[in-house]
Amino acid sequence: MHIRSVSGDEKEVTKYILNYVQERKIFWKVQPEIYYGEEFHDCLLLKFGNPRTAIFAHVDTIGFMSRYQNQLIPVGGPEVDAAFTLEGEDDLGPIHCRLNVMEDELFHDFPRAVRPGTYFSFKQHIRSNETFIQAAYLDNRLGVYNALLQCEEVRDAWVVFSTYEEHGGGSMPFLLRFIMETHPVKQALISDITWVTEGVRHGEGVAISLRDRYIPRRAFLEKIVSLAKQSGVSYQLEVEAHGGSDGREVQFSPYALDWCFIGAPEDHVHTPNEKVYWKDFYAMVDLYKYLLEKL
Amino acid sequence: MHIRSVSGDEKEVTKYILNYVQERKIFWKVQPEIYYGEEFHDCLLLKFGNPRTAIFAHVDTIGFMSRYQNQLIPVGGPEVDAAFTLEGEDDLGPIHCRLNVMEDELFHDFPRAVRPGTYFSFKQHIRSNETFIQAAYLDNRLGVYNALLQCEEVRDAWVVFSTYEEHGGGSMPFLLRFIMETHPVKQALISDITWVTEGVRHGEGVAISLRDRYIPRRAFLEKIVSLAKQSGVSYQLEVEAHGGSDGREVQFSPYALDWCFIGAPEDHVHTPNEKVYWKDFYAMVDLYKYLLEKL
Amino acid sequence: MHIRSVSGDEKEVTKYILNYVQERKIFWKVQPEIYYGEEFHDCLLLKFGNPRTAIFAHVDTIGFMSRYQNQLIPVGGPEVDAAFTLEGEDDLGPIHCRLNVMEDELFHDFPRAVRPGTYFSFKQHIRSNETFIQAAYLDNRLGVYNALLQCEEVRDAWVVFSTYEEHGGGSMPFLLRFIMETHPVKQALISDITWVTEGVRHGEGVAISLRDRYIPRRAFLEKIVSLAKQSGVSYQLEVEAHGGSDGREVQFSPYALDWCFIGAPEDHVHTPNEKVYWKDFYAMVDLYKYLLEKL
C-alpha cells in the first residue's frame, strides 16, 4: 500500500481501507455496520454484533511538513538521518528528495521551491522474508492489518480506524463519544506496534503493555494477562516509563473504560526500516482473536 | 479599552464587551441570541441565525501574579524585561511598578507589600498611525475587535468570547459542549493574532495557519485556502512547529469539528509593544466576512 | 491503614473506604446515596441531599513499578533516596527491599527476580504526637480523612473518592460527567494536601490555593477567601507557579464548574516522612464544614 497518510492527511488511506472492507466483507462471519463520511472526518468505524470491546488501530503515520524556504518540521516524532529519502507532492507535482540535518534543523534538498505546508513521508521500501518484514510505517500498517484480520471471524466488537495518533491525538474523543452513545463498550484494545527493548525481544511473542507513560487499571491488566496465559499464545510483558498511544485518550475520556495496548514489537522505530517478526505479528492476531471472544 | 483581563480574571472585560453588544446590536443585520451569566462563567456567546461556523476570540491576556514578598510569577507566557511597567490593584489600592528580573526570578519594585495572588498587567500605551497600531495586548484585543466587526453583517454564525486561552485553556470545553448541544456547527475559526516570522511579514496580509503545535485536517485547510484565493483578500500561509490557540481545544474536543487559526501577524509578541499593520488587520476582517458566508 | 494504593491499583483502598462508610453512616445526619462498583472502576461517590458543591479526595498514592531485571520506574513523582524502604508483592510473595539510585536510574535490592509490572510503595511508619503526624502518604490519606469527617454533618454535597491523581489523572472526567448528569453542582473543592514553602508554614492554618500550575476563576476565589475570613478558621493563602491536582481536570472539563484546592500543608512531600500539623488539619476540617454550608 503506497498511500501517504501523515497525521492530518489521512483521507486517502481511510478510503482505501473502506474499499477493502466493502470488497472483503462478504467473506466475514458477521456483517458490520459501517460508519464513514464527513461527520466522522477521516475515521472509519465498524460495528459487529453487540460489542463489549472496541479495537482501535490508528491509520496515520509520522512524517514531515515543509515550512519556509527548504525547511522541514516534524509531524509526530520521526527519527532523522541524512540517509533517509522522502516523498511528497504539491501543486507543481511529485517530490523526491533527501533529508538534511544541520544543527538540529531539518531541510529537504529538492531543487525547486515547495509550497509551505506540504507533507513529506519516508520513501517506502518493503523487505520481507519468512522471518520478518522490514518497511516504513509498519507502525501502524500492521496494527491496521491486525484489525482487518479480526473482522473475518469476530462476532461482537467495534473495529475502529483512528487518525492523528502520532501527533498528539484528537480523533479519539469524538470516536469514543460516538461509540458510547451508539453502542457502549466496557473496554478498549489498542492495536498498535511497540518497541524492541532490553525486555521485549523479536520472536518472543506479542507484547502486552502493563504501562507506558500512562498506566491501565491493574484489575483489567490482570484479566488480560490471565486470559493470555490460558490462550497458549506466546506473549511478553512490557513495562515502559514513556511513550503513549490511543490508550491515553481512552484513559482521559469521560467514560469509565478499561484499556490495554497489545502489539508486536518492532526495531528501528519511526525510521524507514521498521522491522517486525512475523511470528510476533501472528501471535498478536491470535491473542486479539482470543480476547475478543473471552473478554 | 483600559480594562485588565489577565487569564482567570476576565469578568470586567466581558462585561464591557456585553455592553458594547447591547448598544451596537440595533445596527446589526441580524439580531443575535445572547448567552451570558454565571452559568457561562466569564464567557459570552452570540448566536446569529443558523450557524454552520463558530468564531472564537479569547478575551484574556498574559500577565503576572504576585507570590510572596515581592515575587512575581507569570500568567501565560509574557516576555520579561526590566524596562516594562506593570499595573495592578489590591485591597490597599492601585499599584504601579517596574518588573525586575534577577537570576530567572521575577520581582516587582512596588514599595509596599502586595497581597499574594494580585494580578499585574503591562501598562497600556497605545501608539497608532495610518500604517500600524502598537500597544499591549493587541493579542487578543484585535481578535475580539474582528469578532465584533463580523457581527455587523453576519447572518449565520456563533461569535464566541472565550477565557483562559493564554494560560492553558479551560473555557473552550464547556463552550463547545454548549454550542454543540444548542445549535451544532461543523467548523471553527480562531480569531487571534499570530507572529511575524521569517515567513510571515507585516503588510503581506492575514495569516492562515496551516499548523502550529497542532495540525488542522488537511481537507479543511484546502477548502479555506481555496476560498481565500477566490476572495481576492491578501493572505499569507503560516507553518509553525510550536504555539497553540483555542484551536487546540477544538481538536481535542469530543466533536468532529474542523478548525483553522486565521489572524493578522504581530511583532514584539507578549510585550507592551505588540505591533500590527492595519492592512493585515483589515485583510483579516475581510477574509472572515468572506469565509462566514461561503463556508 | 496499611493498604497499598499506588495509582492504577486502588481497588483495595476504595473497598476499605466503602466498608468504613457502611459501618459509620448510621451515625451521619444525612444518609447518602452510594455509587460504587465496576461501572465506577475503583472510585466511590456519595451523594448527600441536594448538592451544590462536590468534594474530591484522591485515594491513590505515588510509588514505583518494577521494570526488567531489578529496575524500577516511578509512578507519579516520588522523591528518591537510598534510605527509603519499599514494600510490594508479586505471585511469589511479599517483597521488602531498599531503593537504590544509580546515575538517575532506580533499582530495588530484593534478592530474587520480581515480576515486571509489580507495584512498590514506601514502607509505612506512622509517628504522631499532639502537634503533628508524620508518615508516608498523608498526601492524600488526610484529604480522604477530611472528606470522611465531612460526611458526619453535611446536608448537601457530593463526596467523591477519585483515583489516578498522582499519575496524570483519568478518573475525574467520568466522575464529573456522572455527577453533572445525575445531580449537577456549581463548584468543586479539592480535598488534598499541599506543600510547606516560604509562604505557607506549619501551624498557620489550612492553605487556600489561589493558583498552582492552573488558576481558578478569580470571582470564585474571592468568594472562598471572603467566607474563610467570616468563618474565623485560621488559613493561609498559597500562590504557586507549579503543581496540580484534581482541580486541573475540573478546569478542563466540559462543564462551567468553579474549583479551589483547600488543604493542610505538609513538609517532606512524596517521601515516607510527610509531616502535617494537626492544627492545620483541623482548620481544614473546620473550613470545609463552613464552606459546604455557606457556598
Side-chain angles (χ1 to χ4, degrees):
Chain A
M1 177 165 44
H2 283 251
I3 298 171
R4 288 186 293 273
S5 64
V6 180
S7 307
D9 191 28
E10 301 95 341
K11 201 169 58 177
E12 291 307 316
V13 79
T14 305
K15 211 181 285 175
Y16 178 94
I17 295 169
L18 179 70
N19 284 342
Y20 175 96
V21 166
Q22 301 286 19
E23 283 173 19
R24 295 286 303 174
K25 72 178 187 217
I26 49 165
F27 304 106
W28 297 350
K29 274 201 186 147
V30 173
Q31 291 305 298
E33 287 180 45
I34 299 176
Y35 301 91
Y36 174 78
E38 264 303 289
E39 69 205 280
F40 301 98
H41 280 186
D42 302 322
C43 300
L44 170 64
L45 302 98
L46 308 176
K47 183 166 85 67
F48 293 85
N50 294 301
R52 302 173 306 276
T53 304
I55 307 181
F56 293 92
H58 73 85
V59 303
D60 62 308
T61 74
I62 50 99
F64 301 89
M65 192 185 277
S66 59
R67 195 170 172 254
Y68 312 120
Q69 291 86 39
N70 59 340
Q71 295 171 314
L72 292 177
I73 53 179
V75 177
E79 292 296 313
V80 295
D81 187 307
F84 295 167
T85 307
L86 304 182
E87 296 182 334
E89 182 163 4
D90 68 2
D91 327 35
L92 299 173
I95 298 162
H96 291 83
C97 57
R98 287 274 175 148
L99 178 60
N100 282 337
V101 190
M102 286 190 283
E103 291 170 9
D104 286 347
E105 302 221 356
L106 307 177
F107 303 90
H108 65 78
D109 68 356
F110 200 54
R112 72 161 165 85
V114 168
R115 198 179 89 148
T118 300
Y119 278 108
F120 288 72
S121 53
F122 293 135
K123 185 178 158 65
Q124 185 55 287
H125 176 209
I126 297 173
R127 292 138 282 175
S128 181
N129 64 21
E130 277 182 14
T131 309
F132 63 79
I133 178 171
Q134 188 160 22
Y137 304 129
L138 297 184
D139 167 7
N140 191 32
R141 298 301 195 218
L142 288 182
V144 168
Y145 185 36
N146 172 54
L148 289 170
L149 290 176
Q150 299 305 319
C151 294
E152 302 190 352
E153 303 196 14
V154 72
R155 295 185 180 283
D156 301 299
W158 283 97
V159 176
V160 185
F161 300 93
S162 67
T163 56
Y164 274 113
E165 192 270 349
E166 295 288 4
H167 199 79
S171 70
M172 288 294 287
F174 74 75
L175 293 169
L176 287 165
R177 196 176 64 90
F178 181 78
I179 289 167
M180 296 307 281
E181 292 183 355
T182 305
H183 187 114
V185 294
K186 300 200 157 181
Q187 54 229 344
L189 301 180
I190 311 303
S191 178
D192 200 346
I193 296 300
T194 187
W195 311 331
V196 165
T197 61
E198 57 196 297
V200 171
R201 297 183 191 85
H202 277 317
E204 304 199 356
V206 57
I208 299 172
S209 172
L210 301 182
R211 66 169 283 185
D212 48 31
R213 183 167 162 203
Y214 299 99
I215 306 178
R217 198 163 63 107
R218 176 60 36 157
F220 185 61
L221 291 178
E222 282 172 0
K223 198 195 277 182
I224 294 278
V225 172
S226 136
L227 286 170
K229 251 180 224 165
Q230 274 176 39
S231 73
V233 175
S234 76
Y235 69 92
Q236 319 179 52
L237 297 181
E238 179 184 68
V239 182
E240 289 295 328
H242 305 290
S245 73
D246 277 341
R248 186 196 155 274
E249 291 180 277
V250 180
Q251 170 84 4
F252 293 103
S253 81
Y255 307 100
L257 267 177
D258 281 310
W259 62 279
C260 184
F261 179 115
I262 302 177
E266 71 175 16
D267 209 351
H268 311 297
V269 175
H270 288 187
T271 74
N273 305 309
E274 297 181 349
K275 183 176 182 175
V276 172
Y277 273 38
W278 285 119
K279 196 186 151 200
D280 300 330
F281 176 72
Y282 286 113
M284 179 179 178
V285 175
D286 291 345
L287 186 55
Y288 270 84
K289 202 179 286 187
Y290 192 83
L291 291 173
L292 285 180
E293 194 162 328
K294 301 289 183 181
L295 272 174
Chain B
M1 177 166 45
H2 283 249
I3 297 169
R4 287 188 293 274
S5 64
V6 181
S7 308
D9 191 26
E10 300 94 341
K11 199 169 58 176
E12 290 308 316
V13 80
T14 306
K15 212 181 282 174
Y16 178 94
I17 295 170
L18 179 68
N19 285 341
Y20 175 97
V21 167
Q22 300 286 18
E23 283 173 19
R24 294 286 303 174
K25 71 175 187 219
I26 49 163
F27 304 106
W28 296 350
K29 273 202 187 145
V30 173
Q31 293 303 299
E33 288 180 44
I34 300 176
Y35 300 91
Y36 174 78
E38 264 303 290
E39 67 207 280
F40 301 99
H41 280 183
D42 302 323
C43 300
L44 170 64
L45 302 98
L46 309 176
K47 182 166 86 67
F48 293 84
N50 294 303
R52 303 173 305 276
T53 303
I55 307 181
F56 294 91
H58 72 86
V59 304
D60 62 308
T61 73
I62 51 98
F64 302 89
M65 192 184 276
S66 59
R67 195 169 173 252
Y68 313 120
Q69 293 88 40
N70 59 341
Q71 296 172 313
L72 292 177
I73 52 179
V75 178
E79 292 296 312
V80 296
D81 187 308
F84 295 166
T85 306
L86 303 181
E87 296 182 334
E89 183 163 6
D90 67 3
D91 328 35
L92 299 172
I95 298 161
H96 292 82
C97 58
R98 287 277 176 143
L99 178 60
N100 281 335
V101 189
M102 286 190 284
E103 291 171 9
D104 286 348
E105 302 221 357
L106 306 177
F107 304 90
H108 65 78
D109 69 356
F110 201 54
R112 71 164 165 83
V114 168
R115 197 179 89 149
T118 301
Y119 277 107
F120 289 71
S121 53
F122 292 135
K123 184 178 160 65
Q124 185 55 286
H125 176 210
I126 298 173
R127 291 139 282 174
S128 181
N129 63 22
E130 278 181 13
T131 310
F132 63 79
I133 179 170
Q134 188 160 22
Y137 303 129
L138 297 184
D139 169 8
N140 190 28
R141 299 302 196 220
L142 289 182
V144 168
Y145 185 36
N146 171 54
L148 289 170
L149 290 176
Q150 298 305 319
C151 294
E152 302 190 352
E153 302 196 14
V154 73
R155 294 185 182 284
D156 302 299
W158 283 97
V159 176
V160 185
F161 300 92
S162 67
T163 56
Y164 273 112
E165 191 271 349
E166 295 288 4
H167 198 79
S171 71
M172 289 293 288
F174 74 76
L175 293 169
L176 288 165
R177 196 175 64 89
F178 181 77
I179 289 167
M180 295 307 281
E181 292 183 356
T182 304
H183 186 113
V185 294
K186 299 200 159 184
Q187 54 229 346
L189 300 180
I190 311 303
S191 177
D192 200 347
I193 297 300
T194 188
W195 310 331
V196 165
T197 59
E198 57 196 301
V200 171
R201 297 183 192 87
H202 277 318
E204 303 199 357
V206 57
I208 299 172
S209 172
L210 301 183
R211 65 169 284 184
D212 48 30
R213 184 169 161 203
Y214 300 98
I215 305 177
R217 199 162 63 107
R218 176 60 36 157
F220 185 61
L221 291 178
E222 281 172 2
K223 198 194 278 182
I224 294 278
V225 172
S226 136
L227 286 170
K229 251 180 226 167
Q230 274 176 37
S231 74
V233 175
S234 76
Y235 69 91
Q236 320 178 52
L237 296 181
E238 180 183 69
V239 182
E240 290 295 328
H242 307 289
S245 74
D246 277 341
R248 186 195 154 274
E249 290 179 277
V250 180
Q251 170 84 5
F252 293 103
S253 80
Y255 307 100
L257 267 176
D258 280 310
W259 62 278
C260 184
F261 179 114
I262 303 178
E266 72 175 16
D267 208 352
H268 310 298
V269 176
H270 289 187
T271 75
N273 305 309
E274 296 181 347
K275 183 176 181 176
V276 172
Y277 273 37
W278 286 120
K279 198 188 149 199
D280 299 330
F281 176 71
Y282 287 112
M284 179 179 178
V285 175
D286 291 345
L287 186 56
Y288 271 83
K289 204 179 285 184
Y290 192 83
L291 291 173
L292 285 179
E293 196 163 326
K294 301 289 184 183
L295 272 174
Chain C
M1 174 166 45
H2 283 250
I3 298 169
R4 286 186 294 272
S5 64
V6 180
S7 307
D9 191 28
E10 301 95 341
K11 199 168 60 176
E12 291 307 316
V13 80
T14 305
K15 211 181 282 175
Y16 178 95
I17 295 169
L18 179 70
N19 284 341
Y20 174 97
V21 167
Q22 301 286 19
E23 283 173 19
R24 295 286 304 174
K25 71 177 187 213
I26 50 164
F27 304 107
W28 296 350
K29 274 201 187 146
V30 172
Q31 293 304 297
E33 287 179 47
I34 300 175
Y35 300 91
Y36 174 77
E38 264 302 290
E39 67 204 280
F40 301 97
H41 279 184
D42 302 322
C43 300
L44 170 64
L45 302 98
L46 308 176
K47 183 167 85 69
F48 293 86
N50 294 302
R52 304 174 303 278
T53 304
I55 307 181
F56 293 91
H58 72 85
V59 304
D60 61 308
T61 74
I62 50 97
F64 301 88
M65 192 184 277
S66 58
R67 195 170 173 253
Y68 312 119
Q69 291 86 41
N70 59 341
Q71 296 172 313
L72 292 177
I73 52 178
V75 178
E79 292 296 313
V80 296
D81 187 307
F84 295 167
T85 307
L86 303 181
E87 296 182 334
E89 184 164 3
D90 68 3
D91 327 36
L92 299 172
I95 299 161
H96 292 83
C97 57
R98 287 276 176 141
L99 178 61
N100 282 336
V101 190
M102 287 190 283
E103 291 170 10
D104 287 347
E105 301 221 358
L106 306 177
F107 303 90
H108 66 77
D109 69 356
F110 201 55
R112 71 161 166 83
V114 169
R115 197 180 88 148
T118 301
Y119 277 109
F120 288 72
S121 52
F122 292 136
K123 184 177 161 64
Q124 185 55 288
H125 175 208
I126 297 173
R127 291 137 283 174
S128 181
N129 63 22
E130 277 180 14
T131 309
F132 63 79
I133 179 170
Q134 189 160 21
Y137 304 129
L138 297 184
D139 167 9
N140 189 32
R141 298 303 195 219
L142 289 182
V144 168
Y145 185 37
N146 171 55
L148 289 170
L149 290 176
Q150 298 305 319
C151 293
E152 300 188 354
E153 302 197 13
V154 73
R155 292 186 182 284
D156 301 299
W158 283 98
V159 177
V160 184
F161 300 94
S162 68
T163 57
Y164 274 111
E165 192 273 348
E166 295 288 4
H167 198 78
S171 70
M172 288 294 287
F174 74 76
L175 293 169
L176 288 166
R177 196 175 65 90
F178 181 76
I179 289 167
M180 296 307 281
E181 290 183 357
T182 305
H183 186 114
V185 294
K186 299 198 159 185
Q187 54 230 344
L189 300 180
I190 310 303
S191 178
D192 200 347
I193 297 300
T194 186
W195 310 331
V196 165
T197 60
E198 57 196 300
V200 171
R201 296 184 192 85
H202 277 318
E204 303 199 355
V206 58
I208 299 172
S209 173
L210 301 183
R211 64 170 283 184
D212 47 31
R213 184 168 161 202
Y214 299 98
I215 305 178
R217 198 163 64 107
R218 177 58 39 154
F220 184 63
L221 292 177
E222 282 171 1
K223 198 193 276 182
I224 294 277
V225 172
S226 136
L227 286 170
K229 252 180 223 165
Q230 273 177 39
S231 73
V233 175
S234 76
Y235 70 91
Q236 320 178 52
L237 296 181
E238 179 182 68
V239 182
E240 290 294 330
H242 306 289
S245 74
D246 277 341
R248 186 195 153 273
E249 290 179 278
V250 180
Q251 171 83 4
F252 293 103
S253 80
Y255 308 101
L257 267 175
D258 281 311
W259 63 277
C260 183
F261 180 115
I262 302 178
E266 72 174 17
D267 208 352
H268 311 298
V269 175
H270 288 186
T271 74
N273 306 308
E274 296 182 347
K275 182 177 182 174
V276 172
Y277 272 40
W278 285 118
K279 197 187 150 202
D280 299 330
F281 176 71
Y282 286 113
M284 179 179 179
V285 175
D286 291 345
L287 186 55
Y288 270 84
K289 203 179 285 187
Y290 191 84
L291 290 174
L292 285 180
E293 195 162 326
K294 301 289 183 183
L295 272 174

